[in-house]
Structures are given as structure tokens and as C-alpha cells.
């Protein structure tokens, strides 16, 4: 099985590389080749019997993926993207990387007749927005309120249409907020969601910028990685009239996150969280839907975390 | 008021031209200039005090609309499109005309800072498809099952995002099946919907290829033209988080259409309709949703036909 990963140097890309390296197979077929593409040369693992190639390319450049597609990958994980805040700050950059590069990838598959190649794209909860119902379902309209969400929603439509036409075998997974991300706080509006757990568990202070009754729809890095792999293994036709679905995260309030922190790290850990309301962050995060009925994802066998405590313990297990 | 119309030589374009010529104003401002763009030179009416210019351009060609946009139109009706069957037969053609040309139009407005220019695009019931609920609402997801519907849905997302960013003031109206179209039967799957009324009313035979219990969501040419004009006059912000909405058609069964024919044209007219089932046409037409709750359109003051009889009588009135 020849697997191509775009955005392979990123957090999720590297998790996926390691997961594939660990099991050395995909959909029951032994892994034969791993092509890692990113702006920088992605760290490539040594895997016995598997050819690993890392290429530093700008996927926004014309023909950027030609060499990789000429090798006829059987599975493509398309994770490369410009993040939400950058796409909002620079419309052209977001359009080029998030939309045009995806279209070029689809056209590249079409030109090479890679009709059975499975293309798994990461989409986002940002495709939702506006006046949403209390609970979002599979048939809730996408009314994104950001250019990032717009670009992802357009890619979803294209991937469904190219799949319907038999030009590629696409699948799109909308990712919940990932908790607990490793590393340091960053500029993302959702950064606090990992930070208020991660920092105190590591003996550091954290800031909570939102009210504790605010709810989030979250998924652990482990479950997201498993979902990407499952997305490559499930039959494309099983997706039905749309190749895109929301992954089954779990709904948690900030208060529940802090309670999980207390249960795991004790009062001392909880005391490290300082409450400093930031209306700008609250406005962004509160606009994301937090309650979903993931009927299609569950029918297709995608699995979420059991509960928040599992998420915290999974982080501690990986950290140690 | 300077108005630009793309697809101005088409059926709807010409209706719109004549409606504007008749009232010589838009949104309370006198019409000053009418720029008509189409592949062929559109018939341009003589209107006292209004400069009418018709340009034959291929809107798919790079810079095709530059000259027209340089004149800073205040309202743009974007009706030019490749129809459903052609877009399905030729993906590249549909992408270029239906999607790329719309994007070029948006980029053209952006480059010229036409942020207050009102852009009204005609979309279609074809943005819906797949496993739809019995009644489609404003927040029902778009899962188009054709490349035409996909291209239109992508344009809807782009127009909403460009409007949200203040780059243009866009509005998208999804058109029901238009009944009664003037002229002759054509290759469209929905052609019969006009034909089974129009031909018998004109003393000719017609073929009904679908079961009489099949339902359609229809709107008269007059109401569609009024809706396009209303779409230019209503405040853009009133559209809310999405600039796209379905126009308020009415739900009618083929049996009801035949009954309206009998009421208007008598038994002789009804007898001119021959029933010859065509499963191919039935499959396409039955996939279009026929029942909608058009809450947003009605709140914004868009008006549908009162009933089928009005539609038939409006056709007879225009014909005579």
C-alpha cells in the first residue's frame, strides 16, 4: 500500500505517520511506501520494508504534487492547510492553499485516472456557523462565517462531486476541537482548550479566557488519528450522497474540563488556572457548534472518546 | 442606476431587461445605464434617457468582464450559466462557466473596490439532492448530486464569504422550476412541466413522461423576474449568515397541472396530453425536492405565485 500524506510535518501528519509506522498496514494490506509532503521536509521514520520519502514542496505551486501523483499513491491523506486565522487575514493565501491546492490534487488524480485512490481530507467544525440549531445533524446546512470554513466547505462539495463522477474515491472528515494538543499555547482561538488541562498537568499556569459554562465539541489526538485511518479503510460508497461528515467528538463544558483536571491533578493543578475573560476569544469559540448527532459517522464505525477523563489519561499516558 | 446583466440574451435575461425597461428604475433610483452581456449580442431595448449597451463576450475568457466592471455597475444580475445537462456532460466547461466566471466576477468587483455593488446570482434547486427530508427548510444541507448543483453551491459559498468580508454585496436566489416557459420543448428534464400546459393551450400535442402524482416546486416567469428585482432591492444584511435562499415556489403535482389545464383549456386541451413514461426523466425530476418552507425568503418579502391557475392565466395573458 502506497500512502501519500500532505501536511506530513504537522502535528496530525506526524501522529498519522507514527500510527502507520506502528501497524505497518492499511486496510489489511502491508504498507509499501510512505510519501511525506510538506513545506519543510517532514521527519520520516525508519520502517523495515517500507520506503519512506519526504519531499519539501509548496503545495500551492503549480504542479507541486505531480511527482508524488505520478507514483500513483493508493491512499492520500490531505492534511495540508492554512489555519483559520491566517486564511481570514489573507484571502488569497487561504484560497490558494486551502481551495486551489485541493482542486489541483483532485485534477491531478483525474488526469492520472487514479479513480480508486482514496483521498481523505481533513475538514473542520468551521464549516458550520451562523444561526445553527441547538443540535447539529448530518443534514444541517453549512453556513461558514470564515473564509477558512468557506474554503473547506467548497472542497467538500468538490470531493463529493469528483467521487460521484468516479474520478477519485474521496472522504472528508470534519474534525472537532482537538484536546489535548501537545506543545505550547498558540494563537488559535481554541488554544486554551488544551492549555487549561496541559499546562496545569505539567505544573505550569494557564489562562481560561471563556466562561466555564461554555461548551466545546472535542476529540483526542489519538481518536482523530484513528478516524483518519478508518476514513481510508471504510468503503467510499458507504458515505452516501455526501462524502463529508463530522467526526463523533464529545460535548464538554469548560467546567467539566476543569473538574477532570481536578480529578486527575488535584486542587493544586486546578488552582493554576487563572480566569481572565477575553470577549474576542469567547465570541469565536462560542460560534462553533458544540452539540452534534453524528448518526452517519457512527453508522460508518467512526469512534469518539468515551469521556473527558479518558482524554486526559490518554494525554498523561503519552506524555510519560 | 447602472445595471449589468450577464446571460442577458437568455429567456430570464430578456424578461429582466423588459421589466427594467418598463419601470425605468431600480430601488427607487432612475435607471441610467443597462449593460447587457452574453455570448451573442443581446437584444437591447430603446429606453428614453437610458444608455443601453450590448456586448457579445465569452464570460469564461480571462478578463471577459473587465470593460463592463471598469464602468462600475451598481447592480449586477449574474444569470449566465451552462445548464445542468451540459455541465454534467462536460465537467471542465461547467467548472469554467458556472464556477470560474463567477469567481472572476467576484474578484473583478474586489479589485475595483465595488463593495457596495449588489450582485444577484441565479442558483437552482439542483443544489439540493441526496437523502432529503420530506420538507426542505432554510437550514437543510446542500448535497447536490450533479456537477451543476455543485458548481452553484460553491458559488453560493463564495458570494456569502465575499459579502461577509465586505468585498461585494451579494445575494443568491435559488430558482424553482419555471412554469410556463414560452417557446418550444427542449432537452431539459423539466421541459415537460411547461410543455404539458403550453402545447395543449396552443392547440398542439404534448407528452407527459412522469406519473401524475409526481410533485414539482414551480414559479412563473413573472414571479421569478420580480424576485430578481426584489433581490436587488432588499438590504443585503437582511439575508443574515447566508446570502443564498430558495425562492418561494408553489408545490404542485402533475395531476394538479393537468386539472388546471382542463379548467382553462377544456377537455379538448387535456386530451392532447399523451402519457408516455420515461424512467430517465422521472428519475431526474423526482430527485428534486418539491416541498419547502421558505421562511427566510418570505420574511425578506419575496413573493410566489398564489396558485397554479394564476400561473396558467398569466401565461395566457402574456401570450395574447
Amino acid at each position: 500500500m502506497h500512502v501519500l500524506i500532505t501536511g506530513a510535518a504537522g502535528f496530525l501528519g506526524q501522529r498519522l505517520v507514527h500510527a502507520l509506522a506502528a501497524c505497518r498496514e492499511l486496510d489489511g494490506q502491508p504498507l509499501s511506501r510512505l510519501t511525506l509532503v510538506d513545506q519543510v521536509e517532514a521527519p520520516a521514520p525508519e520502517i523495515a520494508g517500507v520506503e519512506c520519502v519526504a519531499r519539501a514542496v509548496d503545495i500551492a505551486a503549480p504542479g507541486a504534487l505531480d511527482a508524488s501523483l505520478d507514483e500513483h499513491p493508493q491512499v492520500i491523506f490531505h492534511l495540508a492547510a492554512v489555519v483559520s486565522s491566517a486564511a481570514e487575514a489573507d484571502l488569497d493565501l487561504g484560497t490558494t492553499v486551502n481551495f486551489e491546492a485541493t482542486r489541483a490534487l483532485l485534477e491531478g488524480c483525474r488526469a492520472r485516472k487514479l479513480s480508486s485512490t482514496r483521498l481523505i481530507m481533513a475538514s473542520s467544525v468551521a464549516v458550520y456557523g451562523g444561526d445553527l440549531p441547538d443540535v447539529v445533524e448530518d443534514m444541517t446546512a453549512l453556513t461558514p462565517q470564515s473564509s477558512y470554513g468557506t474554503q473547506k466547505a467548497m472542497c467538500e462539495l468538490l470531493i463529493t462531486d469528483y467521487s460521484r463522477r468516479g474520478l477519485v474515491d474521496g472522504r472528508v472528515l470534519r474534525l472537532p476541537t482537538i484536546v489535548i494538543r501537545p506543545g505550547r499555547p498558540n494563537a488559535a482561538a481554541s488554544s486554551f482548550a488544551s492549555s487549561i488541562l496541559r499546562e496545569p498537568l505539567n505544573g505550569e499556569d494557564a489562562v481560561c479566557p471563556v466562561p466555564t459554562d461554555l461548551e466545546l465539541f472535542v476529540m483526542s489526538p489519538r481518536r482523530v488519528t484513528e478516524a483518519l485511518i478508518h476514513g481510508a479503510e471504510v468503503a467510499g460508497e458507504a458515505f452516501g450522497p455526501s462524502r463529508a461528515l463530522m467526526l463523533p467528538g464529545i460535548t464538554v463544558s469548560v467546567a467539566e474540563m476543569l473538574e477532570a483536571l481536578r480529578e486527575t491533578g488535584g486542587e493544586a493543578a486546578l488552582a493554576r488556572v487563572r480566569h481572565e475573560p477575553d470577549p474576542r476569544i469567547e465570541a469565536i469559540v462560542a460560534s462553533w457548534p458544540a452539540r452534534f448527532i453524528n448518526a452517519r459517522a457512527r453508522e460508518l464505525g467512526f469512534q469518539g472518546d468515551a469521556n473527558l477523563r479518558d482524554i486526559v489519561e490518554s494525554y498523561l499516558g503519552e506524555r510519560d
Side-chain angles (χ1 to χ4, degrees), chain A:
Chain A
M1 190 70 102
H2 175 183
V3 176
L4 167 64
I5 304 176
T6 75
F11 157 59
L12 274 184
Q14 282 292 300
R15 298 243 359 166
L16 184 59
V17 167
H18 290 123
L20 292 171
C23 64
R24 292 198 294 179
E25 59 129 62
L26 189 61
D27 200 22
Q29 290 184 53
L31 200 64
S32 56
R33 185 184 163 96
L34 208 46
T35 306
L36 309 182
V37 167
D38 210 314
Q39 284 179 288
V40 297
E41 200 170 294
E46 292 280 337
I47 319 173
V50 181
E51 191 183 0
C52 283
V53 178
R55 294 198 175 110
V57 296
D58 173 6
I59 64 157
L65 293 171
D66 281 0
S68 298
L69 293 177
D70 282 344
E71 294 160 353
H72 290 197
Q74 294 157 283
V75 173
I76 302 173
F77 291 100
H78 180 40
L79 309 179
V82 161
V83 298
S84 178
S85 53
E88 195 61 25
D90 186 340
L91 177 60
D92 296 320
L93 176 70
T95 300
T96 305
V97 176
N98 294 341
F99 177 68
E100 285 302 344
T102 303
R103 188 157 71 142
L105 182 53
L106 288 167
E107 281 293 302
C109 290
R110 179 188 178 199
R112 289 165 184 82
K113 304 198 190 309
L114 304 183
S115 56
S116 60
T117 289
R118 299 179 184 188
L119 169 65
I120 301 95
M121 185 185 85
S123 184
S124 161
V125 70
V127 296
Y128 296 105
D131 297 333
L132 290 169
D134 291 340
V135 179
V136 171
E137 299 184 70
D138 287 321
M139 282 305 287
T140 301
L142 306 188
T143 50
Q145 298 302 303
S146 67
S147 294
Y148 176 80
T150 300
Q151 291 147 10
K152 285 290 184 186
M154 286 166 55
C155 290
E156 293 189 2
L157 286 161
L158 266 191
I159 288 173
T160 291
D161 197 46
Y162 275 60
S163 299
R164 185 188 61 81
R165 293 184 80 108
L167 302 172
V168 72
D169 186 359
R171 301 99 193 274
V172 181
L173 310 180
R174 298 177 190 137
L175 309 189
T177 297
I178 300 178
V179 170
I180 302 172
R181 281 180 176 266
R184 309 295 308 164
N186 62 27
S190 61
S191 181
F192 79 88
S194 286
S195 202
I196 58 170
L197 295 170
R198 183 186 59 218
E199 267 66 281
L201 290 170
N202 291 325
E204 297 176 36
D205 291 347
V207 170
C208 179
V210 299
T212 55
D213 62 352
L214 187 135
E215 289 182 333
L216 291 160
F217 197 62
V218 305
M219 199 171 198
S220 66
R222 183 164 66 93
R223 288 296 186 190
V224 170
T225 308
E226 287 172 6
L228 288 169
I229 290 173
H230 186 65
E233 294 182 331
V234 73
E237 314 82 62
F239 277 73
S242 168
R243 290 301 181 104
L245 52 76
M246 184 75 207
L247 288 181
I250 55 173
T251 303
V252 295
S253 68
V254 170
E256 287 167 337
M257 294 172 76
L258 295 174
E259 177 57 20
L261 172 63
R262 197 187 58 76
E263 284 175 19
T264 329
E267 296 293 343
L270 184 62
R272 287 195 174 274
V273 180
R274 212 162 61 242
H275 293 267
E276 291 178 5
D278 183 333
R280 195 190 55 86
I281 289 181
E282 184 187 347
I284 296 171
V285 180
S287 77
W288 300 338
R291 291 177 177 264
F292 290 83
I293 296 177
N294 298 91
R296 278 176 56 231
R298 293 194 187 279
E299 272 166 31
L300 293 180
F302 289 94
Q303 287 184 8
D305 300 278
N307 52 52
L308 193 51
R309 196 175 170 117
D310 276 12
I311 293 181
V312 174
E313 282 172 358
S314 139
Y315 169 74
L316 291 173
E318 289 177 6
R319 186 196 60 170
D320 299 333

